Amino acid sequence: MKTFLKCLGFFISIQAWGQNFIYNGHFEFGGVGTGFNVPGQGYTNLIPPYLGNTQPGDFAITNDPQPLNTGNFLLFSDHTSGQGNMMIVDGGNIGGNQSFWQAGSNGGGICGLTVGNNYLFSFWLRSASSSVIDQATQANIKAVFNNAINIQELTPTLAPLPQVGWQAYAIQFEATSACVNVSLYDENTSIVGNDFAIDDLMLMPLGDPLSLSVSASRPFCSDSLSGALIAYVKGGYPPYQFNITGIMGSWNNQSGIFTGLPPGTYDVSATDANNQTVIITNQLVFSNDFLQVNPEDTLICGNTSLELTVTGGTNTNYFWMATPPDPNLLNPINDTITVSPNQSTTYLVSTNNLNENLVTNGNFEAMNTGFYSDLNYLTPSNPGGLQSCYGITPNASFWEGTFSPCVDHTLGNGIGHMMVIDGAVSGNQTVWKQIISVEKNTNYTFTYFAQSIENINPAVLKSSVNGILLSIDTLPVITCDWQQISGQWNSGNDSLAILLIENFNQSGLGNDFAIDDISFSTLRSCSRQVTVQINSGNAELGLYYPSDLCINSGIINPTLSPNTPNNGTYNSFPGGLNLDPISGSINTTGSSPGSYDVVYSVFVCNELVKDTIEITIHALPSLLSLTGGAYNCSIQTFDSVLLFLNAVYPVTLNWTLNGAEILTNAVSDPLFLNTEAGLYELLTITDVYCTANINGSIYLDSLSIPETPNIIGDTAICDNEPSEAISLSNPNPNGVVSWYSDAALTQYLESGNFFYPSNDSSAIYYVVQTVNGCSSNVTAFATTLIPCNLVVPSAFTPDNDGDNDFWEIVGLDVKFPLNQVKIFNRWGELLYTSIQGNYASEPWDGNYKGEPLPVGSYFYIIEKATDGSIEPINGTISIIRTP
């Protein structure tokens, strides 16, 4: 039995990081009733087989929108892995804020939160229909919270246009209860467009320490520049910016995935939205298994011998083959061979690397590094039995005293380390994750060992790669009994593998386990080939330039195969290419856009040999027009700001809105920028081939927006006295303010920033602002006519008979809200002072210090305003008592 506690992240002297509190936010564990509910009216859950036609309110949990509606829905994959599930919704048209997603299997919300802590609710959204073209057809996703305050929308709520793809959305809030209800609804009720996909809903704590972990993949044996570094971050305030610095410079991105790296040492850092930065230095991408042959493709004369030498690879048992067969290849099992082919021949050298483990720190001997977990890391122990937590330890009972004394799998002697988990009780918690760079069309084996460390409610572990299920395994009740779990996966066209171990069990009792010796490997045959050509007058000289060049991008030099003579000449056809005929250097400045054949001619073995390559000089992407931004009266917003380009799509635009830098990706004209007021400025555009600076700006003046009038002024009017002015707190200096006496705006009264209501009767008035022909929403307000005549009696009878017992001054508080009344006797002694502005609440009763005053006259001063700004009233008041 264990104490039922949630790991709250504030336990003294314990390092802890945040977790995702939403279960099945990635929709991989099931549909409605599995971590979420769909309580809104008008929503229908579609079940396969789909009929290819949806109605407003239809939704499904699936991996591709198009089969739901073959006429309008787009073809795309989920956000989590590209191969898993997402929620597809044909936007409803009922209205009334009907929820299409509500947290909790029965809609009961999310529990285990800490009162007073800040949390981030986030999700990924994508438009699912080709009919989504503008604001009127974009879904508008709003969130509703109960038991939360200080709710802040950190991003716009409109779904992105289809060409943008997946886009992140986030809302921050402060929890006022351990359980918070969260639901989402679509504010747009259009039946055109308004179709969207949602995925990866998360609720994470904010403000926990920012932490960083890094894993590395060495280059493949077929590519020396295929290394990778993956950064995993938790805590802080998203979004994050990642940076690596190494031998080839620095790179930045927001994914933390850096591929195409050579071997070497790198520094990796992560920065959050509050500019907190953590850095890990000296991260090593190990030397590759790349086989290098010297010389590479080469050209020789007939009857010539040549030595070929191979280096590299973790296994140096090399084997050579020749195509076509070379009878002179007499010693193929060697690192160096001597060949003298009588025809052009390709030589292939290969070596095997047997089941090399690609997982970083799979045995946990490097402690808490190289992987990601949704669970909270506690070190060196978990004395409080906190759940949803893990540690790295040689003995399970060292970390948590109630666990069995199970040891690691690697060494099995109580010295090696393993990952020990006190099972999660909420959320789709990732126990362990690592991302690995992989070769395409290659078979891999994913293996790990797991054991129960408490003998009740064993964990149910799911392993997957890129969302593809490998196995679901229930651990035995017996403790300290390591079980090997294994699965096969083919990479296909994938270049990255996301390895996940998750726990389906959410029990608070038992559900405790350890994992160790995680392995991801392939039986690979590394090979390299070179071609030895015998000159026959049309030999391949290995002439190479990049096939696509940008104008004004500098000087590009050619390369040739090893041993190719470099004393030849270069020519281009047609003209227009700025080509040096001796060196072959192409100066893109001064060259004209177009396609060219570059020919290298040289004498080899006393024969003239030519090699030809085609290159293209591309014009830089350029601005055609930046349009839009006119204020649209009918939809009460600005028209879309659109950018038209002369470019080869897809493109990436770097631009700013009010100085904030933004990156926008697009696959075709025009690019949608925004509809918000402000200054739009263009910086750079990158198309398929080239990057160019572009100059362009457009200003959407907020003063073009006719805001709904906000009324200020006193709407209580004294009867038969001049009324005070009613005005606006937000008058538009470019607009006209018009006042009406009816809701239909047919009974025009006047225009101007000030309005004086009638003092004859109470009434309702209507006001609207008009700017450049566009009218705002109408504001209505009511005026109330009240009696304000001031009546000061000259006497009263405070004899407790219920009639005229108090000196009642009629209309004083209404007419002079800053009044104060004072009573004096004939010797100037102050007998009574009223409450300022509220005489009627405690009028004078003819007493002084609780005793009745004698019959007679007393002096009064009625100060209409205590600051003396209004002349006071002086006089006498008589007390009359019945004999």
Side-chain angles (χ1 to χ4, degrees):
M1 182 71 68
K2 73 171 83 168
T3 305
F4 188 80
L5 295 172
K6 285 291 293 178
C7 188
L8 302 178
F10 58 82
F11 199 84
I12 296 174
S13 77
I14 292 179
Q15 295 173 297
W17 289 269
Q19 67 178 74
N20 178 18
F21 285 89
I22 294 180
Y23 178 67
N24 195 30
H26 50 30
F27 300 107
E28 305 306 324
F29 293 164
V32 179
T34 307
F36 72 100
N37 192 19
V38 181
Q41 295 182 18
Y43 285 104
T44 301
N45 187 8
L46 301 183
I47 301 173
Y50 304 121
L51 302 179
N53 186 27
T54 58
Q55 300 298 320
D58 288 348
F59 73 93
I61 310 301
T62 184
N63 60 359
D64 178 10
Q66 198 168 58
L68 299 177
N69 189 321
T70 55
N72 292 305
F73 282 8
L74 303 170
L75 170 65
F76 58 84
S77 301
D78 79 317
H79 177 264
T80 309
S81 66
Q83 298 179 349
N85 291 325
M86 54 192 152
M87 186 178 191
I88 311 296
V89 182
D90 187 325
N93 60 351
I94 291 181
N97 305 342
Q98 302 297 323
S99 298
F100 65 83
W101 182 92
Q102 186 178 54
S105 298
N106 297 312
I110 302 163
C111 293
L113 308 186
T114 302
V115 175
N117 278 11
N118 288 317
Y119 294 86
L120 186 75
F121 174 62
S122 64
F123 53 89
W124 287 82
L125 200 63
R126 181 168 183 167
S127 289
S129 169
S130 59
S131 300
V132 179
I133 57 175
D134 54 19
Q135 182 174 340
T137 55
Q138 291 169 268
N140 191 8
I141 305 305
K142 300 288 188 178
V144 177
F145 295 83
N146 287 330
N147 300 330
I149 59 174
N150 298 327
I151 300 166
Q152 303 177 53
E153 291 180 347
L154 304 181
T155 57
T157 58
L158 284 179
L161 292 173
Q163 58 265 34
V164 175
W166 287 103
Q167 184 167 293
Y169 294 76
I171 303 167
Q172 182 177 332
F173 68 91
E174 179 184 336
T176 60
S177 170
C179 295
V180 172
N181 300 98
V182 186
S183 60
L184 293 173
Y185 70 91
D186 181 8
E187 195 172 65
N188 190 351
T189 56
S190 171
I191 61 172
V192 178
N194 194 24
D195 309 311
F196 60 93
I198 190 169
D199 202 3
D200 290 335
L201 294 99
M202 303 182 72
L203 196 151
M204 302 284 288
L206 281 175
D208 287 345
L210 187 65
S211 67
L212 176 66
S213 183
V214 179
S215 66
S217 297
R218 69 172 65 208
F220 313 138
C221 59
S222 58
D223 183 354
S224 62
L225 299 176
S226 57
L229 283 171
I230 312 296
Y232 313 94
V233 70
K234 294 175 70 174
Y237 290 82
Y240 308 107
Q241 184 73 29
F242 298 91
N243 173 270
I244 66 168
T245 303
I247 59 175
M248 295 181 66
S250 295
W251 298 268
N252 292 280
N253 65 33
Q254 292 184 319
S255 69
I257 299 174
F258 297 91
T259 58
L261 303 179
T265 301
Y266 298 83
D267 293 341
V268 184
S269 68
T271 302
D272 72 359
N274 277 356
N275 289 320
Q276 300 178 77
T277 298
V278 290
I279 185 169
I280 298 179
T281 60
N282 300 320
Q283 290 298 290
L284 183 63
V285 175
F286 287 97
S287 298
N288 54 49
D289 298 327
F290 183 65
L291 299 183
Q292 182 68 50
V293 177
N294 186 36
E296 296 181 337
D297 294 348
T298 189
L299 177 68
I300 64 174
C301 300
N303 301 315
T304 302
S305 296
L306 178 69
E307 278 193 349
L308 299 176
T309 300
V310 61
T311 56
T314 57
N315 185 339
T316 57
N317 294 320
Y318 304 113
F319 180 74
W320 294 86
M321 292 186 296
T323 305
D326 180 1
N328 296 313
L329 181 56
L330 302 177
N331 189 17
I333 306 175
N334 209 336
D335 56 354
T336 299
I337 60 173
T338 301
V339 298
S340 53
N342 55 18
Q343 58 185 317
S344 294
T345 302
T346 296
Y347 294 89
L348 176 70
V349 61
S350 61
T351 181
N352 284 334
N353 294 317
L354 301 177
N355 297 321
E356 175 192 355
N357 185 10
L358 304 177
V359 171
T360 298
N361 191 27
N363 58 12
F364 300 103
E365 298 308 314
M367 303 302 289
N368 188 44
T369 61
F371 65 94
Y372 172 87
S373 178
D374 278 336
L375 309 178
N376 298 316
Y377 175 54
L378 305 185
T379 185
S381 62
N382 183 16
L386 304 182
Q387 295 179 311
S388 301
C389 304
Y390 75 94
I392 308 298
T393 181
N395 188 305
S397 64
F398 292 174
W399 188 71
E400 187 169 327
T402 61
F403 292 167
S404 298
C406 307
V407 298
D408 82 311
H409 177 266
T410 311
L411 302 177
N413 56 7
I415 298 176
H417 292 85
M418 58 185 167
M419 182 179 184
V420 173
I421 297 96
D422 194 322
V425 294
S426 69
N428 47 289
Q429 307 301 304
T430 295
V431 175
W432 179 94
K433 179 176 80 171
Q434 193 171 122
I435 302 174
I436 296 175
S437 180
V438 295
E439 295 185 86
K440 295 183 178 181
N441 300 309
T442 302
N443 291 320
Y444 290 87
T445 301
F446 183 29
T447 299
Y448 68 98
F449 289 83
Q451 64 178 349
S452 295
I453 53 179
E454 200 165 20
N455 61 3
I456 55 174
N457 293 331
V460 181
L461 301 183
K462 170 192 173 184
S463 60
S464 64
V465 180
N466 287 358
I468 296 177
L469 175 66
L470 300 186
S471 67
I472 297 178
D473 299 275
T474 301
L475 298 183
V477 175
I478 300 172
T479 62
C480 304
D481 181 17
W482 284 108
Q483 305 292 310
Q484 183 177 12
I485 300 172
S486 183
Q488 305 295 317
W489 177 76
N490 184 275
S491 57
N493 288 321
D494 293 339
S495 57
L496 289 172
I498 303 174
L499 280 58
L500 288 180
I501 300 175
E502 299 168 281
N503 181 15
F504 277 8
N505 192 345
Q506 294 184 58
S507 173
L509 300 176
N511 190 22
D512 305 310
F513 60 101
I515 58 175
D516 200 6
D517 290 337
I518 305 171
S519 173
F520 190 67
S521 62
T522 181
L523 178 61
R524 300 183 299 172
S525 177
C526 296
S527 62
R528 185 78 171 175
Q529 69 178 29
V530 296
T531 298
V532 178
Q533 294 188 72
I534 305 299
N535 178 46
S536 59
N538 58 354
E540 291 288 336
L541 303 178
L543 177 64
Y544 174 77
Y545 294 95
S547 59
D548 296 288
L549 302 174
C550 296
I551 197 169
N552 299 330
S553 61
I555 296 176
I556 308 298
N557 294 309
T559 59
L560 299 167
S561 293
N563 298 331
T564 296
N566 59 6
N567 58 348
T569 58
Y570 296 83
N571 294 281
S572 67
F573 304 95
L577 186 66
N578 191 351
L579 174 69
D580 187 316
I582 303 302
S583 67
S585 296
I586 297 174
N587 190 341
T588 56
T589 302
S591 296
S592 300
S595 295
Y596 302 89
D597 287 330
V598 179
V599 181
Y600 178 62
S601 304
V602 68
F603 280 94
V604 179
C605 302
N606 298 319
E607 295 183 13
L608 182 63
V609 180
K610 298 181 178 181
D611 198 358
T612 302
I613 188 172
E614 182 180 8
I615 65 168
T616 301
I617 304 291
H618 295 277
L620 299 181
S622 59
L623 173 66
L624 293 177
S625 64
L626 181 63
T627 65
Y631 191 77
N632 190 317
C633 299
S634 62
I635 61 175
Q636 295 284 299
T637 187
F638 290 106
D639 289 336
S640 299
V641 177
L642 302 176
L643 178 68
F644 294 84
L645 296 167
N646 182 14
V648 181
Y649 285 83
V651 300
T652 298
L653 173 70
N654 187 8
W655 60 289
T656 64
L657 176 57
N658 297 325
E661 192 166 334
I662 301 172
L663 288 179
T664 298
N665 300 312
V667 296
S668 63
D669 263 342
L671 276 72
F672 167 76
L673 299 189
N674 213 318
T675 59
E676 300 296 323
L679 177 62
Y680 296 69
E681 293 185 288
L682 307 180
L683 301 177
T684 62
I685 185 71
T686 300
D687 69 1
V688 172
Y689 301 109
C690 304
T691 298
N693 296 324
I694 53 173
N695 295 316
S697 63
I698 189 170
Y699 181 62
L700 275 57
D701 191 349
S702 60
L703 294 180
S704 299
I705 303 172
E707 296 183 6
T708 302
N710 292 328
I711 298 299
I712 56 175
D714 194 353
T715 58
I717 302 171
C718 290
D719 187 14
N720 297 319
E721 292 192 10
S723 60
E724 296 183 1
I726 301 295
S727 61
L728 306 186
S729 64
N730 61 334
N732 192 310
N734 296 332
V736 176
V737 180
S738 299
W739 309 82
Y740 297 86
S741 61
D742 67 318
L745 307 184
T746 59
Q747 302 299 317
Y748 170 76
L749 297 176
E750 60 183 86
S751 294
N753 290 341
F754 298 95
F755 173 66
Y756 294 87
S758 169
N759 62 354
D760 293 335
S761 62
S762 299
I764 299 177
Y765 298 95
Y766 304 85
V767 59
V768 64
Q769 293 195 82
T770 303
V771 181
N772 296 330
C774 294
S775 296
S776 71
N777 295 324
V778 178
T779 295
F781 65 97
T783 60
T784 304
L785 198 66
I786 58 176
C788 296
N789 294 329
L790 182 63
V791 178
V792 182
S794 60
F796 72 114
T797 59
D799 50 12
N800 296 320
D801 64 354
D803 184 23
N804 202 25
D805 288 332
F806 297 93
W807 186 39
E808 296 180 355
I809 305 174
V810 179
L812 176 62
D813 292 340
V814 174
K815 191 165 186 178
F816 300 106
L818 298 178
N819 73 84
Q820 191 168 61
V821 178
K822 297 179 180 178
I823 307 295
F824 303 87
N825 61 21
R826 66 180 65 187
W827 297 282
E829 185 179 3
L830 180 65
L831 305 177
Y832 165 83
T833 301
S834 69
I835 298 173
Q836 184 178 2
N838 197 3
Y839 175 79
S841 66
E842 293 184 14
W844 188 40
D845 58 2
N847 293 335
Y848 176 61
K849 294 184 178 180
E851 296 296 330
L853 290 169
V855 172
S857 295
Y858 296 85
F859 297 98
Y860 67 79
I861 299 176
I862 300 175
E863 296 178 343
K864 299 174 184 176
T866 57
D867 61 1
S869 59
I870 305 176
E871 184 179 352
I873 300 174
N874 301 319
T876 61
I877 173 66
S878 298
I879 293 178
I880 302 173
R881 299 188 189 277
T882 304

